[in-house]
């Protein structure tokens, strides 16, 4: 009984075609460079590379069209972060999540859909 069930299940898996994910990646060029307020009112800066994982490659041009708005939002969020958050790994992860939520919200407001699956920081340099 169990063997026949496993056989039928494996046949169904072989028969039903799996839909391949159709993703595209948009990278902000040039890299984002912005200031943040460091301790003792000293200015620090961070340089980062940001990639957007777009859920459907057909939406690449739409995301590209809105990239100035998205770039500004990312720069604004990073510029408001304290030095401790900028310099810690957990803080960077929190900043990444904030940026991802903001980008999804802006794209939803502009297009009716979030369009991206993930926002990735692929490079992060700070002083």
């Amino acid at each position: 009984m169990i063997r026949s069930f496993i056989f039928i299940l494996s046949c169904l898996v072989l028969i039903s075609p799996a839909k391949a994910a159709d993703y595209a990646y948009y990278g902000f060029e040039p890299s984002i460079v912005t200031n943040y307020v460091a301790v003792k009112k000293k200015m620090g800066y961070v340089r980062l590379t940001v990639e957007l994982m777009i859920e459907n490659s057909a939406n690449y041009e739409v995301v590209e069209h809105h990239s100035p708005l998205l770039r500004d939002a990312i720069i604004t969020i990073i510029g408001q972060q304290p030095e401790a958050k900028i310099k810690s790994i957990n803080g960077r992860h929190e900043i990444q999540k904030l940026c991802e939520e903001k980008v999804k919200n802006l794209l939803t407001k502009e297009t009716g859909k979030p369009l991206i699956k993930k926002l990735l920081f692929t490079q992060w340099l700070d002083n």
Side-chain angles (χ1 to χ4, degrees):
M1 177 79 169
I2 293 176
R3 286 185 182 176
S4 62
F5 175 75
I6 292 172
F7 175 75
I8 292 171
L9 185 61
S10 62
C11 288
L12 288 174
V13 169
L14 291 174
I15 293 171
S16 63
K19 185 180 176 199
D22 180 29
Y23 294 113
Y25 289 87
Y26 177 80
F28 290 92
E29 291 294 332
S31 297
I32 293 174
V33 179
T34 188
N35 293 325
Y36 63 90
V37 178
V39 292
K40 300 180 185 177
K41 300 201 183 219
K42 177 183 114 187
M43 294 298 287
Y45 75 91
V46 62
R47 178 180 179 203
L48 64 148
T49 305
V50 179
E51 302 275 335
L52 301 177
M53 182 180 183
I54 303 168
E55 289 193 71
N56 183 340
S57 61
N59 292 323
Y60 183 89
E61 290 179 3
V62 176
V63 171
E64 184 178 41
H65 174 75
H66 293 289
S67 66
L69 175 67
L70 305 178
R71 182 183 190 93
D72 178 64
I74 293 166
I75 289 170
T76 300
I77 289 170
I78 292 169
Q80 296 171 344
Q81 303 306 312
E83 181 178 25
K85 206 176 219 184
I86 294 281
K87 295 204 178 250
S88 78
I89 301 227
N90 289 336
R92 292 177 196 174
H93 182 71
E94 290 176 28
I95 295 167
Q96 182 179 350
K97 289 292 181 195
L98 284 171
C99 290
E100 183 177 312
E101 290 171 12
K102 183 65 174 180
V103 166
K104 285 181 178 180
N105 288 339
L106 287 170
L107 286 170
T108 301
K109 184 178 176 184
E110 294 293 319
T111 68
K113 294 180 183 178
L115 301 182
I116 68 160
K117 178 100 175 149
K118 194 91 176 130
L119 180 143
L120 306 163
F121 292 160
T122 54
Q123 183 181 38
W124 183 284
L125 301 169
D126 60 70
N127 81 334

